[in-house]
């Protein structure tokens, strides 16, 4: 028996996929949360206008996350590829 630990080839799942480790991700989720807040207030106060505004803000969160990711604020590997975009063959 040896006291050496087996060598691991993969990091933690959160590190491997880049969950929550980018400005693009945080900005996209934050914007979506604001949109859902507006949308939920529109339901409570029965306002179609605020419902439409909330929906637009939610859709804008996708654009915000995409643009920030493409401008280099997303999670990337050392070679510049997006993390989690494709898994290597095993």
């Amino acid at each position: 028996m040896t006291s050496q630990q087996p060598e691991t080839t993969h990091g933690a799942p959160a590190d491997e996929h880049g969950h929550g480790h980018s400005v693009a991700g945080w900005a996209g989720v934050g914007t979506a949360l604001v949109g859902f807040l507006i949308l939920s207030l529109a339901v409570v106060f029965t306002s179609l206008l605020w419902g439409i505004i909330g929906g637009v803000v939610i859709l804008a969160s996708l654009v915000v996350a995409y643009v920030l990711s493409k401008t280099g604020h997303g999670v990337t590997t050392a070679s510049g590829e997006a993390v989690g975009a494709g898994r290597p063959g095993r």
Side-chain angles (χ1 to χ4, degrees):
M1 297 209 99
T2 63
S3 63
Q4 294 178 348
Q5 294 291 330
E7 208 173 294
T8 58
T9 57
H10 299 289
D15 293 334
E16 182 177 339
H17 298 291
H19 290 260
H21 295 291
S22 72
V23 174
W26 281 101
V29 169
T31 308
L33 284 174
V34 169
F36 280 109
L37 175 67
I38 294 170
L39 193 60
S40 64
L41 290 174
V43 169
V44 170
F45 296 115
T46 58
S47 172
L48 179 62
L49 176 65
W50 285 104
I52 292 171
I53 292 171
V56 168
V57 171
I58 292 169
L59 291 176
S61 71
L62 297 173
V63 174
V64 166
Y66 179 77
V67 168
L68 282 173
S69 177
K70 289 299 179 185
T71 58
H73 295 287
V75 177
T76 57
T77 62
S79 63
E81 297 177 0
V83 174
R87 297 195 64 140
R90 294 180 189 209

